[in-house]
Amino acid sequence: MAPGLDRDICLSKRLETHTTPEQASLDAALIADPVVRGAAVMRWVETHNKAWNPQQVLPLCDQLEGRDRGACHRRVQSAHLNR
């Protein structure tokens, strides 16, 4: 598929189906649009974070920029958000 928003949206939907942070990280790296990447990573973290050690998920968060990266780190590391 040619680069662009349609490709990024397709990759974000595929990212949501991954069960490991490593798999999700591979697709996140391919998403060019930072807004689409941020939304996809945050959805994955919200859905799958409880099953993984924070140290395994933080590299996925590190693919985000600015405030998104900080919000992702907080979600991964905050015990009250992991219930």
Side-chain angles (χ1 to χ4, degrees), residues 6 13-14 19 25-26 38-39 43 55 59-60 62-63 68 71 77 79:
D6 289 337
K13 290 178 181 178
R14 187 170 78 178
T19 56
S25 205
L26 291 173
R43 278 192 306 270
Q55 297 309 315
L60 178 60
D62 288 340
Q63 293 189 32
D68 288 339
Q77 295 176 323

Side-chain angles (χ1 to χ4, degrees), residues 3-4 13 21 27-28 33 39-40 43 47-48 50 55 59 65-66 70 73:
K13 290 178 181 178
D27 275 347
D33 187 287
R43 278 192 306 270
T47 304
H48 300 284
K50 296 173 189 154
Q55 297 309 315
E65 300 171 4
H73 279 207

Side-chain angles (χ1 to χ4, degrees), residues 3-39:
L5 187 57
D6 289 337
R7 179 177 182 257
D8 287 348
I9 291 170
C10 181
L11 287 167
S12 76
K13 290 178 181 178
R14 187 170 78 178
L15 185 148
E16 291 178 41
T17 67
H18 294 312
T19 56
T20 70
E22 294 81 14
Q23 291 172 325
S25 205
L26 291 173
D27 275 347
L30 299 174
I31 299 173
D33 187 287
V35 174
V36 174
R37 184 183 327 111

Side-chain angles (χ1 to χ4, degrees), residues 40-60:
V41 167
M42 292 303 283
R43 278 192 306 270
W44 189 93
V45 167
E46 185 176 333
T47 304
H48 300 284
N49 185 39
K50 296 173 189 154
W52 298 96
N53 178 310
Q55 297 309 315
Q56 294 171 294
V57 181
L58 287 175
L60 178 60

